[in-house]
Amino acid sequence: MNKCLLSVSALSFLLFLAIWAAVESEATNAMDERLLQMFDSWDWLDGFTILGYGYFIGIASILLVLFLWLRKRDYYGMVLVLVAVGGGYGLNTFIKDLVGRARPPFAQGVHGFSFPSGHAMVGSIYLLLIAYFLSKEVKKASQRWVIFFIFGLLALLTGLSRLSLQVHYPSDVLAGFLLACAYLSICVAVYQRLKRNFPRVSMVGMKPKHDS
Protein backbone atom coordinates (compact mmCIF):
# COMPACT_ATOMS: atom_id res chain seq x y z
CA MET A 1 0.00 0.00 0.00
CA ASN A 2 1.21 3.51 -0.80
CA LYS A 3 3.37 4.53 2.16
CA CYS A 4 3.22 8.21 1.26
CA LEU A 5 -0.58 8.24 1.32
CA LEU A 6 -0.63 6.35 4.62
CA SER A 7 1.85 8.81 6.12
CA VAL A 8 -0.24 11.77 4.95
CA SER A 9 -3.37 10.13 6.37
CA ALA A 10 -1.76 9.46 9.75
CA LEU A 11 -0.30 12.96 10.07
CA SER A 12 -3.55 14.63 9.02
CA PHE A 13 -5.56 12.54 11.47
CA LEU A 14 -3.20 13.34 14.35
CA LEU A 15 -3.49 17.06 13.58
CA PHE A 16 -7.26 16.69 13.41
CA LEU A 17 -7.28 15.04 16.86
CA ALA A 18 -5.11 17.89 18.20
CA ILE A 19 -7.60 20.48 16.95
CA TRP A 20 -10.48 18.44 18.36
CA ALA A 21 -8.80 18.39 21.77
CA ALA A 22 -8.14 22.12 21.57
CA VAL A 23 -11.79 22.80 20.72
CA GLU A 24 -12.98 20.62 23.59
CA SER A 25 -10.72 22.52 26.01
CA GLU A 26 -11.90 25.86 24.52
CA ALA A 27 -8.30 26.74 23.69
CA THR A 28 -9.33 27.87 20.20
CA ASN A 29 -12.10 30.25 21.28
CA ALA A 30 -10.10 33.49 21.17
CA MET A 31 -8.48 32.70 17.83
CA ASP A 32 -11.79 31.56 16.35
CA GLU A 33 -13.52 34.78 17.30
CA ARG A 34 -10.76 37.01 15.92
CA LEU A 35 -10.51 35.18 12.62
CA LEU A 36 -14.27 34.93 12.22
CA GLN A 37 -14.53 38.67 12.65
CA MET A 38 -11.83 39.16 10.01
CA PHE A 39 -13.59 36.92 7.45
CA ASP A 40 -16.88 38.74 7.96
CA SER A 41 -15.83 41.33 5.36
CA TRP A 42 -14.68 38.78 2.76
CA ASP A 43 -18.01 38.75 0.94
CA TRP A 44 -16.41 37.67 -2.36
CA LEU A 45 -16.05 34.18 -0.90
CA ASP A 46 -19.78 33.67 -0.33
CA GLY A 47 -20.58 32.30 -3.78
CA PHE A 48 -18.15 29.41 -3.47
CA THR A 49 -20.30 27.83 -0.78
CA ILE A 50 -22.54 26.34 -3.50
CA LEU A 51 -19.75 23.87 -4.29
CA GLY A 52 -20.28 22.27 -0.87
CA TYR A 53 -24.06 21.88 -1.00
CA GLY A 54 -25.34 18.32 -0.94
CA TYR A 55 -27.17 18.48 -4.26
CA PHE A 56 -24.09 19.88 -6.03
CA ILE A 57 -21.85 17.20 -4.53
CA GLY A 58 -24.40 14.53 -5.46
CA ILE A 59 -24.62 15.63 -9.09
CA ALA A 60 -20.85 15.90 -9.46
CA SER A 61 -20.34 12.48 -7.85
CA ILE A 62 -22.92 10.83 -10.11
CA LEU A 63 -21.27 12.34 -13.19
CA LEU A 64 -17.88 11.09 -12.00
CA VAL A 65 -19.27 7.58 -11.43
CA LEU A 66 -20.82 7.59 -14.92
CA PHE A 67 -17.50 8.67 -16.40
CA LEU A 68 -15.68 5.86 -14.61
CA TRP A 69 -18.30 3.35 -15.72
CA LEU A 70 -18.97 4.31 -19.32
CA ARG A 71 -15.56 5.63 -20.30
CA LYS A 72 -13.06 3.76 -18.11
CA ARG A 73 -14.88 0.64 -16.88
CA ASP A 74 -13.15 1.34 -13.58
CA TYR A 75 -15.37 -0.43 -11.09
CA TYR A 76 -12.93 0.06 -8.25
CA GLY A 77 -13.01 3.77 -9.06
CA MET A 78 -16.80 3.79 -8.89
CA VAL A 79 -16.67 2.17 -5.46
CA LEU A 80 -13.99 4.64 -4.40
CA VAL A 81 -16.26 7.59 -5.23
CA LEU A 82 -19.22 6.08 -3.37
CA VAL A 83 -17.18 5.11 -0.31
CA ALA A 84 -15.15 8.33 -0.15
CA VAL A 85 -18.04 10.76 -0.66
CA GLY A 86 -20.80 8.79 1.06
CA GLY A 87 -18.55 7.56 3.85
CA GLY A 88 -17.09 11.03 4.29
CA TYR A 89 -20.55 12.49 4.73
CA GLY A 90 -21.44 9.79 7.26
CA LEU A 91 -18.20 10.26 9.19
CA ASN A 92 -18.68 14.02 9.27
CA THR A 93 -22.23 13.66 10.60
CA PHE A 94 -21.12 11.14 13.23
CA ILE A 95 -18.33 13.37 14.57
CA LYS A 96 -20.57 16.44 14.53
CA ASP A 97 -23.12 14.63 16.71
CA LEU A 98 -20.34 13.28 18.93
CA VAL A 99 -18.74 16.69 19.53
CA GLY A 100 -22.01 18.67 19.59
CA ARG A 101 -20.40 22.06 19.07
CA ALA A 102 -22.87 24.90 18.53
CA ARG A 103 -22.49 27.09 15.47
CA PRO A 104 -21.37 30.73 15.71
CA PRO A 105 -24.04 33.06 17.10
CA PHE A 106 -24.20 34.88 13.74
CA ALA A 107 -25.27 31.79 11.76
CA GLN A 108 -28.67 32.34 10.19
CA GLY A 109 -30.86 29.60 8.74
CA VAL A 110 -28.22 26.88 9.18
CA HIS A 111 -29.01 23.83 11.26
CA GLY A 112 -26.89 21.10 12.80
CA PHE A 113 -23.65 21.14 14.73
CA SER A 114 -20.50 22.97 13.72
CA PHE A 115 -17.42 20.75 14.17
CA PRO A 116 -16.02 19.72 11.73
CA SER A 117 -17.24 21.66 8.69
CA GLY A 118 -19.05 19.46 6.18
CA HIS A 119 -18.39 21.88 3.35
CA ALA A 120 -14.66 21.79 4.05
CA MET A 121 -14.54 18.02 4.50
CA VAL A 122 -16.93 16.54 1.93
CA GLY A 123 -16.32 19.39 -0.49
CA SER A 124 -12.59 18.65 -0.41
CA ILE A 125 -13.16 14.93 -0.84
CA TYR A 126 -15.21 15.09 -4.03
CA LEU A 127 -13.23 17.94 -5.60
CA LEU A 128 -9.90 16.20 -4.99
CA LEU A 129 -11.35 12.93 -6.30
CA ILE A 130 -12.31 14.69 -9.53
CA ALA A 131 -8.78 16.08 -9.74
CA TYR A 132 -7.31 12.63 -9.06
CA PHE A 133 -9.16 10.97 -11.92
CA LEU A 134 -8.74 13.89 -14.31
CA SER A 135 -5.00 13.85 -13.67
CA LYS A 136 -4.94 10.30 -15.02
CA GLU A 137 -6.18 11.59 -18.36
CA VAL A 138 -3.12 13.76 -19.03
CA LYS A 139 0.47 12.76 -19.63
CA LYS A 140 2.52 15.75 -18.50
CA ALA A 141 3.35 16.21 -14.83
CA SER A 142 2.85 19.96 -15.21
CA GLN A 143 -0.71 19.39 -16.40
CA ARG A 144 -1.41 17.16 -13.41
CA TRP A 145 -0.09 19.84 -11.06
CA VAL A 146 -2.37 22.43 -12.69
CA ILE A 147 -5.40 20.16 -12.26
CA PHE A 148 -4.67 19.56 -8.59
CA PHE A 149 -3.96 23.24 -8.01
CA ILE A 150 -7.29 24.33 -9.53
CA PHE A 151 -9.41 21.80 -7.67
CA GLY A 152 -7.42 22.21 -4.46
CA LEU A 153 -8.02 25.95 -4.66
CA LEU A 154 -11.75 25.37 -5.20
CA ALA A 155 -11.81 23.11 -2.13
CA LEU A 156 -10.02 25.78 -0.08
CA LEU A 157 -12.41 28.52 -1.19
CA THR A 158 -15.41 26.29 -0.50
CA GLY A 159 -14.29 25.82 3.09
CA LEU A 160 -13.38 29.47 3.59
CA SER A 161 -16.80 30.55 2.29
CA ARG A 162 -18.27 29.13 5.48
CA LEU A 163 -16.24 31.70 7.41
CA SER A 164 -17.32 34.64 5.28
CA LEU A 165 -20.91 33.49 5.78
CA GLN A 166 -20.24 33.22 9.54
CA VAL A 167 -21.72 29.72 9.83
CA HIS A 168 -18.54 27.94 11.02
CA TYR A 169 -15.56 28.69 13.20
CA PRO A 170 -12.08 28.61 11.61
CA SER A 171 -11.17 25.56 13.69
CA ASP A 172 -14.22 23.76 12.22
CA VAL A 173 -13.02 24.44 8.69
CA LEU A 174 -9.40 23.48 9.39
CA ALA A 175 -10.56 20.27 11.07
CA GLY A 176 -12.74 19.51 8.05
CA PHE A 177 -9.78 19.91 5.68
CA LEU A 178 -7.57 17.67 7.80
CA LEU A 179 -10.17 14.94 8.25
CA ALA A 180 -10.87 14.99 4.50
CA CYS A 181 -7.17 14.55 3.81
CA ALA A 182 -6.87 11.70 6.29
CA TYR A 183 -9.94 9.82 5.09
CA LEU A 184 -9.42 10.36 1.35
CA SER A 185 -5.76 9.31 1.53
CA ILE A 186 -6.77 5.98 3.08
CA CYS A 187 -9.49 5.45 0.47
CA VAL A 188 -7.15 6.18 -2.44
CA ALA A 189 -4.42 3.95 -0.95
CA VAL A 190 -6.86 1.02 -0.76
CA TYR A 191 -8.06 1.76 -4.30
CA GLN A 192 -4.51 1.73 -5.65
CA ARG A 193 -3.77 -1.51 -3.81
CA LEU A 194 -6.80 -3.21 -5.33
CA LYS A 195 -6.03 -1.91 -8.81
CA ARG A 196 -2.48 -3.22 -8.55
CA ASN A 197 -3.31 -6.64 -7.09
CA PHE A 198 -6.57 -7.36 -8.91
CA PRO A 199 -6.44 -5.36 -12.14
CA ARG A 200 -8.73 -7.58 -14.17
CA VAL A 201 -11.81 -6.69 -12.13
CA SER A 202 -11.70 -3.12 -13.42
CA MET A 203 -11.50 -4.43 -16.98
CA VAL A 204 -14.72 -6.46 -16.83
CA GLY A 205 -17.06 -5.32 -19.55
CA MET A 206 -14.35 -3.81 -21.76
CA LYS A 207 -14.91 -4.63 -25.40
CA PRO A 208 -11.99 -6.39 -27.07
CA LYS A 209 -10.23 -4.43 -29.77
CA HIS A 210 -10.14 -5.90 -33.28
CA ASP A 211 -7.57 -5.15 -35.91
CA SER A 212 -9.00 -3.40 -38.94
Side-chain angles (χ1 to χ4, degrees):
M1 195 173 292
N2 192 312
K3 293 182 179 180
C4 180
L5 285 173
L6 293 179
S7 298
V8 169
S9 178
L11 178 60
S12 298
F13 187 65
L14 288 174
L15 291 173
F16 166 76
L17 291 178
I19 293 176
W20 185 352
V23 167
E24 291 283 8
S25 65
E26 301 185 353
T28 65
N29 287 1
M31 179 196 68
D32 278 335
E33 291 176 4
R34 286 197 299 269
L35 290 177
L36 197 60
Q37 186 177 9
M38 181 190 75
F39 276 99
D40 189 28
S41 61
W42 292 31
D43 297 339
W44 61 274
L45 284 171
D46 293 358
F48 289 99
T49 201
I50 191 176
L51 297 176
Y53 285 147
Y55 68 84
F56 199 100
I57 294 175
I59 292 172
S61 298
I62 290 172
L63 291 176
L64 181 56
V65 168
L66 290 174
F67 168 77
L68 293 170
W69 177 33
L70 300 174
R71 176 76 181 273
K72 309 301 291 184
R73 292 293 193 269
D74 187 351
Y75 298 104
Y76 287 139
M78 294 163 62
V79 173
L80 170 62
V81 175
L82 296 175
V83 170
V85 177
Y89 178 81
L91 179 61
N92 180 266
T93 301
F94 172 76
I95 295 180
K96 276 186 175 180
D97 292 338
L98 185 63
V99 177
R101 188 186 199 186
R103 290 184 181 269
F106 319 107
Q108 299 294 330
V110 182
H111 305 287
F113 295 116
S114 192
F115 181 94
S117 166
H119 270 64
M121 180 179 174
V122 187
S124 295
I125 288 174
Y126 92 93
L127 286 168
L128 292 177
L129 268 181
I130 293 174
Y132 175 72
F133 286 111
L134 282 181
S135 70
K136 292 177 174 294
E137 300 300 303
V138 299
K139 295 181 179 180
K140 294 182 178 179
S142 60
Q143 293 174 324
R144 291 192 289 270
W145 279 110
V146 169
I147 289 172
F148 274 106
F149 174 79
I150 291 173
F151 282 89
L153 180 61
L154 288 176
L156 175 64
L157 295 174
T158 300
L160 293 181
S161 71
R162 308 308 281 171
L163 302 181
S164 65
L165 290 168
Q166 304 286 284
V167 296
H168 275 294
Y169 293 106
S171 54
D172 300 333
V173 172
L174 180 56
F177 287 144
L178 289 170
L179 191 56
C181 188
Y183 181 67
L184 182 58
S185 295
I186 284 289
C187 291
V188 172
V190 173
Y191 163 78
Q192 292 181 348
R193 177 72 176 270
L194 291 173
K195 287 274 288 185
R196 183 170 59 252
N197 292 349
F198 308 99
R200 294 186 61 185
V201 175
S202 288
M203 300 300 292
V204 173
M206 290 289 285
K207 294 181 180 179
K209 294 182 179 179
H210 301 284
D211 294 333
S212 56

